[in-house]
Every structure is written in C-alpha cells, then in structure tokens.
Amino acid sequence: MSNESNRILVTRSSMPPLEEYLEEIAPLWESHWLTNMGREHRKLEAALRERLGVKNIALFTNGHSALECILEALQLPRNSEVITTPFSFASTTHAIVRKNLMPVFADIKADDFTLDPESVEKLITPRTVAIVPVHVYGLPCDVKAIQDIADRHGLKVIYDAAHAFDVRVDGRGIADFGDASMFSFHATKVFNTIEGGAVCFRDTALYPVLEQWKNFGIVGPESVVYSGGNAKMNEFCAAMGVCNLRHLDDEIAKRKKVAERYWENLADVSGVRTFQPAENVRHNYAYLPVTFEPDVFGATRDDVFDALAKRNVGARKYFYPLISDYERYRAIYASERTPTAVHAAATVLALPMYADLSLEDVDRICAIVKGVRPCA
Ligand SMILES: *Cc1c(COP(=O)(O)O)cnc(C)c1O
C-alpha cells in the first residue's frame, strides 16, 4: 500500500541541528546586521576558501547569479560564441544568453555525461571566446583536455560546478581548474545555504568587480562605478552554510553508503548502467544517475519512472529534455548534432539520493526497478 508516510522524494535538504543554527544566528539579534556582507558572510567565505582549497571566492544569492556575474566580469565581447553542453540544467545556457553571448552546443561523453573535448574542438571558430563545461552529477570533466584546447585557442574556461562541491581530482580541488568555477548552494545540493552560490576564480583582480556587481556597482557611500545587480548572500543563509559545512564530511560519508548500496544492487542487471567515479577522484555522491538501454533491459527509462511513481518513489528525468530542445531554443538548434546527449537524455534517470535515505529504502527502490516490465 502506498501512502504519504512511505513516500520517497528524489532528494531531501540537509539541515543542521536546530540548536546549532539558533546559536549561529543569535548574535544577529544584537547586531541587527542582516545582510550586506556581514559577519556570517565573511565567516562562510573564509571557511569555504579553506575547504575548497581556493584563493578567491565570492558568495551570491544563488549559483545562477554567480555564473552570470563571472561571465560579465570576464568582459567577453557581446555576441561572441561560448561552447557549452545541452545536457545540463537551464541555468547554464540561460546565463550565457542573458549575458548577450551565443551558446554553441557540443556533444558529451557517454561514460560520464561531460563535454567531449573532441566535439568542443570541432566547433571552435574565430568568434569563440570561452568554454562553459558542466561537471555533471559531480563527475569531473576531462579538465586536462579542456584546458589544453583553451590554451591552444586562447579561450576562457568557466566551469558550472553546481553539482561538484567538494570534489577533488588527483587531490586538487575541482575549482582549481579553469579560469572560474560556479557552485550552487541551493537546498537540493550536497552543501546548501537554503539558496546560495559562489564563484571561485583565478584572477584576484576580479574580486572587487564581483563584490560590486552583487551590490549595484556601489564602491563607497558616494561612489557607484558599475551597473551592477543585487545578489548578496544574506546573514541567515550564510549562517546555514557555516553550520552545514561542519557536517559535510558526515553528509558525504552517508551519501557514499547509499550510492554503494545502489551500485551493488544494480551491478548485474543487463541494460542498466551506473556511474562510479574514477580512481583519482574524491566524489561527493551528489546524484544517483542510472541509464536504461531499452533493447537490453526490456523496458524504457519512462517505464521505470512510471513504475516508481506508482509506488510513491520520486525519481527525476534529469536532464530531460535537452536544453537545445526547450521551446526557447529548439528553433535555433538541432539536437541531432549532439547524438550522445540525445541518447543520454532519453535513457537516464536520477534515483532518490540523500544522506538520510535508508539502505532498506534503497533495496526497495532497486527491487521496483528490477521488476519493471514494459507498459503495454
Ligand atoms: C542548481 C544548478 C544551477 C543553478 O544554481 P542555483 O543556485 O539554483 O541558481 C546551475 N547549474 C546546474 C547544473 C545546477 O544543477
């Protein structure tokens, strides 16, 4: 029998103990300083710099604003081309378009859903100025090949690292690659500040520009130098981050157990593929992507989605549709040019994944998946 109490959603936000949060925000009742780069904002910034092993970081109200802001701060020429992936969340392409740049979609790799460097290289024209790759599901891009292309063609690399918080490659923080990396601290991400985001960047000179952009271009009480927006992380969100960061190792350890249970359960099912990180990667277990090859598995991704939904288990067709197939973009782009991305969008399903998901629930979800028969 299905009912509300055994309903499983695809994700569940992590929260610190209430007392810990109350203690963190209590001083705000004395200072009455609620936003505009206050004590918690600066405290979180410093803690993240240390945790991520980066020199420069700027916090924002959300990851999307951080991405728009770094694109703007890099002063890429209007209408120039930016090579990116159609297999991502709307934010990645929207940010490029909203900053008056032209997205060009390259194909992805079948083994980890990230940009295929070969496909990227073929699309470079004299108008190309940057590459915006995505570390999809926290699986790192081929950072070396991408940097090599960027160096040879004089391109900027701005990573959408929204999924990749705390990931390391060969012991190196994921934000240490490229010119900049955006993180999202949205409620559904591995590390959250309720809503929030950040950008890490190589060129220290960008810091004042980013600070000004998120505060109307204001430099001093009587000085405004830039048509900035408003994207300041407030003190309550920053305090949430300060608390959640203390529990991050525990959070990721729990997620690892959940992921390993899924991988074990689904290991020998033909037509079903799971995605483990490479040996040199410290992963964050942000998502649990699984692909279903209908010819081999005997049922489609949509059949699996429907079977889970019937039993109150919320999976997510993530990412489907491709960005190039959105109403907004499909008249301009042809998805056939990125066949691997088309196939991924048709076969992938993100199964429920969060730290407190019980291993019994994982077993139950996997039993449903393995029992799926095609709908008539
Ligand atoms: C969540 C997400 C974003 C946007 O982050 P927000 O903090 O929600 O603005 C961008 N790109 C990807 C891939 C994401 O998953």
Side-chain angles (χ1 to χ4, degrees):
M1 280 296 289
S2 46
N3 57 48
E4 273 300 311
S5 66
N6 67 11
R7 183 158 175 222
I8 301 173
L9 299 178
V10 69
T11 187
R12 203 169 91 136
S13 299
S14 302
M15 297 170 83
L18 178 59
E19 293 68 32
E20 185 181 339
Y21 185 64
L22 290 176
E23 198 176 310
E24 196 65 39
I25 61 170
L28 300 175
W29 266 258
E30 278 151 44
S31 68
H32 288 248
W33 187 307
L34 307 184
T35 185
N36 287 54
M37 286 64 92
R39 200 174 145 265
E40 291 297 313
H41 187 113
R42 295 304 179 205
K43 187 169 168 185
L44 180 61
E45 219 173 45
L48 287 173
R49 226 182 275 125
E50 165 129 13
R51 176 79 199 201
L52 299 170
V54 295
K55 196 165 57 150
N56 301 311
I57 187 168
L59 305 184
F60 288 85
T61 43
N62 53 62
H64 181 82
S65 298
L67 184 56
E68 282 201 10
C69 184
I70 189 68
L71 289 173
E72 187 158 340
L74 288 169
Q75 298 187 299
L76 306 172
R78 224 182 151 83
N79 297 322
S80 53
E81 294 174 1
V82 175
I83 299 175
T84 188
T85 169
F87 192 76
S88 184
F89 184 55
S91 171
T92 319
T93 295
H94 285 356
I96 295 168
V97 171
R98 288 168 57 82
K99 290 295 119 185
N100 301 303
L101 300 161
M102 167 81 94
V104 173
F105 292 119
D107 207 356
I108 61 171
K109 294 185 281 151
D111 57 346
D112 64 7
F113 308 98
T114 67
L115 268 184
D116 177 359
E118 264 180 50
S119 174
V120 169
E121 187 133 34
K122 281 185 200 145
L123 293 168
I124 293 172
T125 74
R127 290 181 305 283
T128 309
V129 293
I131 310 172
V132 177
V134 181
H135 300 299
V136 184
Y137 310 124
L139 298 166
C141 293
D142 189 341
V143 286
K144 287 194 189 79
I146 288 170
Q147 194 58 53
D148 179 55
I149 293 171
D151 289 345
R152 277 188 286 112
H153 297 272
L155 310 176
K156 298 281 186 211
V157 181
I158 303 105
Y159 283 103
D160 178 337
H163 291 182
F165 188 78
D166 206 45
V167 168
R168 286 177 168 261
V169 180
D170 292 322
R172 211 170 135 188
I174 197 76
D176 200 25
F177 299 95
D179 294 280
S181 297
M182 173 273 272
F183 292 108
S184 166
F185 308 148
H186 182 256
T188 55
K189 304 301 208 266
V190 167
F191 165 74
N192 85 77
T193 62
I194 308 173
E195 288 264 10
V199 63
C200 301
F201 45 99
R202 195 161 298 285
D203 179 4
T204 306
L206 293 175
Y207 189 75
V209 182
L210 297 170
E211 288 289 287
Q212 288 151 21
W213 190 95
K214 68 182 174 199
N215 192 24
F216 304 104
I218 296 172
V219 177
E222 296 178 10
S223 172
V224 180
V225 296
Y226 190 67
S227 310
N230 179 9
K232 306 179 295 290
M233 181 182 285
N234 70 56
E235 292 292 280
F236 290 81
C237 289
M240 191 71 164
V242 167
C243 294
N244 276 335
L245 200 55
R246 293 185 192 120
H247 301 277
L248 186 68
D249 288 326
D250 187 38
E251 163 84 19
I252 291 178
K254 284 170 158 180
R255 284 174 173 269
K256 181 168 193 267
K257 286 215 174 75
V258 172
E260 285 170 350
R261 186 70 157 230
Y262 269 115
W263 294 338
E264 214 174 281
N265 260 302
L266 299 172
D268 301 316
V269 189
S270 36
V272 174
R273 185 168 175 191
T274 57
F275 297 84
Q276 283 86 14
E279 285 286 314
N280 64 334
V281 171
R282 189 180 81 189
H283 196 37
N284 65 1
Y285 310 91
Y287 297 89
L288 207 293
V290 179
T291 58
F292 299 91
E293 296 300 336
D295 298 347
V296 187
F297 181 60
T300 65
R301 181 274 310 274
D302 289 358
D303 293 332
V304 178
F305 177 88
D306 293 342
L308 289 167
K310 249 186 235 151
R311 289 167 182 82
N312 257 329
V313 177
R316 200 171 156 204
K317 296 177 196 178
Y318 193 64
F319 297 105
Y320 174 85
L322 289 183
I323 295 173
S324 46
D325 284 332
Y326 289 179
E327 288 89 333
R328 168 65 180 84
Y329 297 119
R330 66 186 173 207
I332 318 168
Y333 296 98
S335 296
E336 311 86 79
R337 295 200 187 137
T338 57
T340 308
V342 169
H343 188 75
T347 54
V348 76
L349 194 62
L351 296 178
M353 164 52 91
Y354 46 86
D356 291 328
L357 185 61
S358 74
L359 300 184
E360 293 70 41
D361 279 336
V362 174
D363 293 344
R364 186 162 75 83
I365 293 163
C366 292
I368 297 169
V369 168
K370 290 193 261 192
V372 170
R373 293 294 166 264
C375 301

